[in-house]
Amino acid sequence: MKVIGIFGLIGSGKDTAAEYLDQKYGFLHISYGNLVRELARQLGRTVERDDLIRTQREYVQRYGQSYFGKLAVEKIRKSKEEFFALSGIRRPQDVEEPRKAFGEDFVLIFIDASPKVRFQRMHARMREGDPETLEEFLRQDEEEKKTFGFDIVMKYVRYTIKNEGTLEELHQTVDQFLARNKII
């Protein structure tokens, strides 16, 4: 079994990298964001950022800091797949639970891109609840860094992928990461 955790700021390409791992290599893609979205919908809430943050905070307060990490680990353990891409990691507990559960079979990568590039990508995807202006995006970016403890999560990163170019370049960099680390 191999679990690749994918960490990065909004619009960096986390889910794009995970989807590539899924499509080309057969990794099962599990997204923390989708776990929260599913829960918000079950509660009759919107999938706008404020409702998602509220849902995430509510469940963390009710069930502990590791709630979503444990939920992701549970999904992985229930699956019969061998390779997993775990995207949308934001908080230290999102990393700590899979690290405890899978040890050396878990590796965390950081997908990085400039704020301007990330805003352009995010704006183009037109996801409900995304900020409309660069200023709003930058405020949200800073809020998320503080709220979720990005500095702590960065300490767990074993590999960084710079994603400033084309989709094909991102795919090539992911391929290189897999080859260098003898994952596939």
Side-chain angles (χ1 to χ4, degrees):
M1 172 187 294
K2 194 62 158 182
V3 180
I4 298 175
I6 303 173
F7 169 61
L9 294 164
I10 188 170
S12 63
K14 301 176 298 290
D15 288 324
T16 302
E19 289 164 8
Y20 177 67
L21 288 167
D22 175 27
Q23 292 168 0
K24 182 167 183 183
Y25 296 101
F27 279 66
L28 179 62
H29 178 199
I30 298 171
S31 163
Y32 277 102
N34 286 344
L35 295 175
V36 177
R37 282 182 197 91
E38 288 169 20
L39 187 54
R41 285 184 186 110
Q42 288 172 9
L43 296 170
R45 297 177 182 165
T46 71
V47 293
E48 291 187 23
R49 185 141 319 267
D50 288 343
D51 271 349
L52 295 176
I53 290 171
R54 185 176 110 209
T55 300
Q56 186 270 342
R57 283 183 181 157
E58 182 180 305
Y59 272 72
V60 163
Q61 287 174 349
R62 187 178 300 161
Y63 300 108
Q65 294 290 321
S66 299
Y67 177 78
F68 289 99
K70 288 177 180 176
L71 190 59
V73 166
E74 182 181 323
K75 279 189 172 263
I76 290 169
R77 284 196 168 137
K78 285 182 177 178
S79 173
K80 299 200 184 326
E81 300 297 324
E82 185 177 347
F83 297 101
F84 300 88
L86 185 55
S87 70
I89 290 171
R90 293 252 192 286
R91 301 166 48 257
Q93 294 80 9
D94 296 343
V95 177
E96 291 165 0
E97 288 302 317
R99 281 186 70 226
K100 281 192 292 191
F102 307 115
E104 290 298 314
D105 289 327
F106 175 80
V107 62
L108 182 65
I109 64 174
F110 177 62
I111 308 283
D112 191 22
S114 71
K116 184 177 178 181
V117 168
R118 291 185 298 109
F119 174 72
Q120 290 169 345
R121 288 179 183 153
M122 186 218 55
H123 197 66
R125 74 183 180 194
M126 297 173 59
R127 186 181 286 167
E128 185 179 347
D130 281 344
E132 296 292 323
T133 67
L134 179 59
E135 293 75 24
E136 185 182 348
F137 173 80
L138 293 172
R139 272 193 309 277
Q140 176 183 304
D141 221 21
E142 286 307 310
E143 239 178 73
E144 285 193 1
K145 284 179 186 177
K146 291 175 191 171
T147 300
F148 295 114
F150 273 48
D151 291 341
I152 297 168
V153 177
M154 282 301 294
K155 294 176 184 179
Y156 295 111
V157 171
R158 290 188 20 209
Y159 191 85
T160 298
I161 293 176
K162 192 72 172 169
N163 185 20
E164 294 279 331
T166 66
L167 186 59
E168 183 178 287
E169 289 169 330
L170 173 62
H171 292 172
Q172 289 171 352
T173 306
V174 170
D175 293 339
Q176 291 166 0
F177 160 76
L178 294 172
R180 267 190 218 130
N181 291 279
K182 298 178 176 127
I183 293 173
I184 293 286

